[in-house]
Amino acid sequence: MKKKVVAVILAAALAMSMTACGEKGQTSEGSTSAAASESKETEETKESESGAAFGAREERIADNEVIVAIGSEPESGFDSTTGGHGSITKLVFSTMFARDKELGWTGDLATDYEVSEDRLTWTVTLRDDAYFTDGEKVTADDVAYTYRTAKESGSDIDLTIIDSIEVLNETQVAFHLTRIYSPFIERLAYLGIVPEHAHDENFKDQPVGSGPYKLVQWDKGQQMIFQANQEYYGEAPKMQQITIALLETDTAVAALENGTIDVAEINGNLASKEIAGASVIDIESIECYGVCFPMVPAEGKKAEDGAEIGNDVTSDLAIRQAFNRAVDRELMVEGIMNGYGSVSTTGLEQMPWLNEDTVLDASEYNDIEGAKQILADAGWEDTDGDGIVEKDGLKAEFPLLYTTGKYRQEMALEFVRVGQEIGVQVDLEQVTWDTILPKIHTSAVMYGFGSGDPSELYNLYYGGMAGGPVAWDNSGVYANDDCDAAIDKALEAEDEADAIQYWQEAQKYASAIGDSPYCWFANANHVYYAADGFSFGQPVVQPHGGRIFDNVVEWTWE
């Protein structure tokens, strides 16, 4: 019964927000009285519905339940073998390892691991008290099945580093690698483990996991309802029910105002709004936005995925250096993000493996004249007076692809504006991830990254990665032998701590002070409106896409 009530409340929220945004008063003299009467009835109805909604919130608080508008509906369903689907899957699935709140590692399903002397085999030991929500025990067979299936499916994680997987016993599984790879634990922390016995064609809509919650109702396009898993092996969730309302941001904020929902994910531009009974929760993140440049000339070559590579304009170092010099990062943070973010010139600020020497000082960007001088020194000049510089008959013009999402269009437009100021024409094109692939190696691309893991440097900058299992890994086809050598040393290091010095060395080349394969802009904080009394606990460091559900067992009404 309660589940249906939730759906009714959400429908009311939609209706109320549409009324507030869409109705217009009548103006003819004959209808004035009727309009006033109708307006009074409407206001009374709104007050009644609003009061009922706030009463429902009080009931939710008493029952340890919450309705949030956070995250998005997984379009391909809940199946970690075909894609990560973001932090929302942490509600349902367990992983073997997880990042802790200091960006270190902690066990989830795993209690320990050992690396062989030749460092090509990782043996993981699992806890023996974890059960799927259908009552079946989680075993090493399920782990092996999950990783084999994900490798074969070509999911959004590159598992080609795995040569084979061996089940040693019920609680031990060995991963044999094709090469030494010191950050392999990151791969072991990515996939939610699925039950081999229940993984069928219906699984994506009716998932069975071993996480802190179980999905009990999914009204597609409207809501997802999760109830606490009473048999969860970890810390018991404080919230007994979490409903994710699938609302657009403006509608979600309106629903929060009238008490229909309790938490809404927003962008910084909305955070100035005063909402009675609610406040802003501002969480720093390592989610960084920037533009990836095609790094090689257009010579008719193709990447591994068959897509053409190269761009004659962006392959010129001066073009890339000029944008890194010209872009005003403070303007993006203060103007576009409304202050809910921080400047980034490396994509790695806040990371333990950051090479501080690669960070641009504030005097080294937002410098239009300096950028123009870089171009002029490299032979780029406007000889025909059209405002666009040329070099050897080549116009400084290139496309920039971007997808929808927070801040992306605004940042892309600012990048275009900066280009105009320095005499470079940037042709903006909105795409989807389904349509981006044919142009991903010939166009500049607006990306969001930030995984909290040093192996991201391997994904972004290692030569030969372009066009591999994950299309956006090194989509600019960057290759530098010195950078590759440093990354190789990092991958072959004894452990993550020993590898840091080599990750830092690689940054000397793959940064704005080196080859400038990217122009990084800013880190975007993760911002929410929450009803008074709600707490996320102590969230883990928030990466690209967010991990707000990673510590969901700490969510509470205080």
Side-chain angles (χ1 to χ4, degrees), residues 256-289:
L256 180 73
E257 284 187 279
N258 63 44
T260 305
I261 71 171
D262 308 307
V263 185
E265 183 176 7
I266 61 172
N267 60 44
N269 295 325
L270 294 175
S272 300
K273 183 180 179 68
E274 293 288 336
I275 298 180
S279 56
V280 172
I281 296 178
D282 179 20
I283 304 174
E284 289 187 355
S285 89
I286 54 174
E287 179 167 10
C288 194
Y289 292 101

Side-chain angles (χ1 to χ4, degrees), residues 444-512:
V445 182
M446 174 86 177
Y447 282 121
F449 282 112
S451 69
D453 191 280
S455 64
E456 186 165 74
L457 290 164
Y458 169 70
N459 297 335
L460 296 184
Y461 303 126
Y462 194 76
M465 288 291 288
V470 180
W472 42 86
D473 283 353
N474 193 5
S475 66
V477 201
Y478 175 55
N480 179 305
D481 290 342
D482 291 327
C483 182
D484 288 353
I487 291 175
D488 282 331
K489 290 177 183 177
L491 297 180
E492 294 168 6
E494 288 288 341
D495 53 37
E496 194 170 88
D498 184 51
I500 285 180
Q501 60 184 312
Y502 303 117
W503 293 123
Q504 291 175 336
E505 181 182 346
Q507 293 166 52
K508 292 190 298 185
Y509 312 103
S511 64

